[in-house]
Amino acid sequence: MIEKYIEVPFDDEVVKNLKAGDYVYITGTVYTARDAAHKRMYEALQKGENLPIDVKNNCIYYLGPSPAREGQVIGSAGPTTSGRMDKYTPSLLDLGLKGMIGKGKRTPAVIDSMKKNCAVYFAAVGGAGALLSKCIKESEVIAYDDLGTEAIRKLKVEKLPVIVVIDCEGNNMYCIE
Amino acid sequence: MRTIKTEDIILNVKEMCMEANYELSSDIKEKIISAKDKETSEIGKKILSQLDENMKIAKEEKIPICQDTGMAVVFVTMGQDVHIEGMGLTDAINEGIRQGYTEGFLRKSVVNCPIERINTKDNTPGIIHYDIVPGDSFIITLAPKGFGSENMSKIVMLKPADGIEGIKKVVIDAVREAGPNACPPVVVGVGIGGTFEKCALLSKKALTRNTDTHNEIPYIKDLEIELLEKINKLNIGPGGLGGYTTALAVNIETYPTHIAGMPVAVNMCCHVNRHISRSL
Ligand code: SF4
């Protein structure tokens, strides 16, 4: 198992260096978005409006955290199932989105778009939200506040442990029998 | 006649929502921990260690084990000699859920309508099932259910001619299709028999049974053991990244059915298989 440390935002060069099966620690800024935020971003794009975040070279974490207690940065913060975002994902990849953190399978359309746009898909461990929350050092709602847990948050993460499941060449860890 | 006050029900449901989300039952905990030794894949071992550590942090710091603190499924087994005093029983249970999810810093994941999808902001309503029995007992089981795994569940109306082999195929196919999506290692709840809706309910109830126990019917017990073995040869593994530990348990419940049918429901649950019971 190869361990790597990367900083986000990141560019094609960093992405090309990540291979399916790599164990990666992510440090930097990531944005949270799940079902409702994706739907809203997608509708905004269709209407020709700007997105509330610049996705270029950035990484989205499919996460809807539980509420933070006093003194906590965030509550439990593990990944949600990525497949529900598949319908909306290619249009974000076309805008330069470089990374996604979630869990579970992606459609061929998403994988094709990842290859075309040089992007990487990471899995964080599903059901380890308490542990993963320890890697989140700052959290701030920056858009769609009315969506509650589904709002877009800007997170500062430190050594968030993830695994490259699908790399930019389309190699897929879930397909290894 | 025994009287139970709804204020006691509210308090208990509230506490159960929190407890269930901070700590798993000891059977599941031990299965996750002991799976580390049996696991063959390196990454699988690492993930199981993370799950173990996650459980410790969750318990100590009262951070939910998983951010998806679920939709609250409640089973009430109520003696017919019990009198409920106060507000409506269903309202009281929902009030307990409301207080538990709010005061326990649990995620509010329920939307008002499947089409309109506006968050109710207090995780109500719960899904409440009542069972009326003789006597004056009153048992509440609370099982918060995450939807990553719920979404991978399925029901198939098999024909009697499909036989036990047909049942095995439905269960194994469901686990295979769920793959990484249901956050393996999973617990598989299976319902066999009854009608369409009874079968689904059996599969949900199966998930609330202690995974160290087996179905009392010998050939169903054998089926549980056989299916677990077969599932753990699928090489889905922890996190779906390959390995031995795909499922921690297969729990099956059965019920009489119609001469023409053999419904099979598979309720997928992740390792965060939360359930807690109290007798009032
Ligand atoms: S499937 Fe279970 S472990 Fe995975 S995110 Fe949902 S509740 Fe959490």
Side-chain angles (χ1 to χ4, degrees), chain A residues 78-81 103 126-128, chain B residues 65-70 144-150 181-184 269-274:
Chain A
T80 195
T81 313
K103 56 146 173 133
Chain B
I65 306 157
C66 180
Q67 74 290 337
D68 183 356
T69 51
K145 187 64 174 75
F147 258 61
S149 49
E150 192 75 354
N181 290 26
C183 293
C269 192
C270 45
H271 54 94
V272 189
N273 180 24
R274 296 157 282 206

Side-chain angles (χ1 to χ4, degrees), chain B residues 14-32:
Chain B
K14 166 177 133 176
E15 290 174 355
M16 288 160 83
C17 289
M18 298 190 211
E19 270 174 44
N21 272 297
Y22 304 147
E23 190 176 4
L24 295 176
S25 54
S26 52
D27 56 318
I28 303 274
K29 263 197 278 185
E30 278 157 25
K31 281 202 161 65
I32 292 174

